[in-house]
Amino acid sequence: MCYSSKENSIFAALEIVVSTYRMKILHLSDTHGHHRELEALPLADVVVHSGDITYHGTYDEVIDFVDWFSRLPFEYKVFIAGNHDFALAGENGNGIDVCERINALLPEHTYYLCHSGVTIQGIHFYGVPMFRATIDDTSYEKFYPVIPHNTDVLVTHQPPMGILDGGEYQGKPHHYGNSLLLERVRVVSPKLHLFGHDHNVFGTTIADGICFSNGALTGHGCELIRSPKVIELNFTPYYNSDGGGLEKK
């Protein structure tokens, strides 16, 4: 059987459509200055740290983490800040003014996200930090409703309410998650939501078709007690309705 050049292009397109792409993501969180104790990290395409890279929050701790993180043998590296990372909060308390300066220190394919995103191999990562100043006045919550709709991998420090966020506070049951964040995650529906903050819970779960991961590696005393995990993200490209090329599905 013979095919015209037009038919050949159609069959080539179909071959692309049925291909499934895989990205392995190593999730770290809440290392609190113990990053150099992590040895023999498993292989992955991207390593993501979802905040609390420091213990005291000093600039020296940030620089030490950046030096270590930048040298990790992964092709792509992404991190955000947590509520312990005071040095990254900046003058306005939300860290936006510091973001550009930090990224200027980073080598190629290493990204510090602060209410910002980056696309890696067709997958859009978006990062939302959590700083003490914005917790105290709850102004950090204004950043949750503007998480972009095209987010594939959402990286926050705080968990969404009721998902891998349970524990105790001052001897009473407590949820460390946020309801506004949960609402936005349900609207955006990322393939993967990475977070930490709650040291009581470490694990992965799937709800509403979204994979959620709490990657906190330290315990109540901020001592390193866990090993990080690799999550495999699968996606299939497809042609959009206006013929504008491949998109993710």
Side-chain angles (χ1 to χ4, degrees):
M1 184 179 293
C2 297
Y3 302 105
S4 67
S5 59
K6 182 178 181 181
E7 288 171 327
N8 278 327
S9 66
I10 292 173
F11 280 99
L14 288 173
E15 186 175 342
I16 293 173
V17 169
V18 299
S19 298
T20 298
Y21 292 77
R22 294 176 175 85
M23 175 183 284
K24 290 185 176 181
I25 299 174
L26 176 64
H27 184 201
L28 316 176
S29 193
D30 297 81
T31 48
H32 289 288
H34 294 286
H35 45 270
R36 294 191 183 273
E37 297 174 31
L38 295 172
E39 299 178 349
L41 293 173
L43 297 177
D45 303 299
V46 185
V47 57
V48 177
H49 195 299
S50 53
D52 274 2
I53 63 177
T54 71
Y55 182 73
H56 298 288
T58 66
Y59 189 72
D60 286 345
E61 287 178 287
V62 171
I63 293 301
D64 182 68
F65 172 83
V66 167
D67 177 70
W68 171 81
F69 195 67
S70 299
R71 297 172 188 270
L72 291 178
F74 299 91
E75 186 173 3
Y76 297 97
K77 286 154 277 196
V78 175
F79 72 99
I80 67 168
N83 55 293
H84 272 252
D85 304 324
F86 307 115
L88 294 174
E91 294 182 5
N92 54 21
N94 61 32
I96 294 176
D97 56 328
V98 178
C99 186
E100 186 175 346
R101 298 203 302 271
I102 293 297
N103 276 298
L105 301 175
L106 302 177
E108 186 180 18
H109 296 165
T110 301
Y111 308 97
Y112 169 55
L113 302 183
C114 182
H115 310 297
S116 58
V118 63
T119 300
I120 298 173
Q121 295 183 348
I123 297 293
H124 189 68
F125 291 73
Y126 190 83
V128 183
M130 187 181 187
F131 294 112
R132 173 55 60 187
T134 57
I135 294 173
D136 291 342
D137 63 12
T138 70
S139 63
Y140 74 97
E141 291 186 331
K142 69 182 181 182
F143 294 103
Y144 290 153
V146 297
I147 294 169
H149 282 278
N150 68 335
T151 301
D152 296 304
V153 178
L154 176 62
V155 188
T156 66
H157 185 61
Q158 189 175 29
M161 176 62 74
I163 299 179
L164 301 174
D165 75 329
E168 291 187 354
Y169 181 71
Q170 295 182 345
K172 297 181 180 180
H174 182 76
H175 283 281
Y176 289 84
N178 183 275
S179 57
L180 288 178
L181 176 57
L182 177 63
E183 289 178 13
R184 188 58 179 172
V185 169
R186 285 174 170 167
V187 171
V188 173
S189 191
K191 294 174 175 61
L192 179 61
H193 183 188
L194 306 175
F195 49 86
H197 188 49
D198 181 5
H199 296 196
N200 299 286
V201 184
F202 173 84
T204 304
T205 190
I206 296 176
D208 299 322
I210 303 167
C211 180
F212 296 90
S213 173
N214 183 324
L217 300 183
T218 50
H220 292 290
C222 292
E223 71 283 7
L224 193 66
I225 61 172
R226 304 179 180 113
S227 298
K229 58 195 169 190
V230 173
I231 301 167
E232 187 171 291
L233 180 66
N234 298 319
F235 66 97
T236 303
Y238 69 100
Y239 279 95
N240 60 27
S241 58
D242 62 5
L246 290 174
E247 294 182 344
K248 295 177 293 301
K249 184 176 182 180

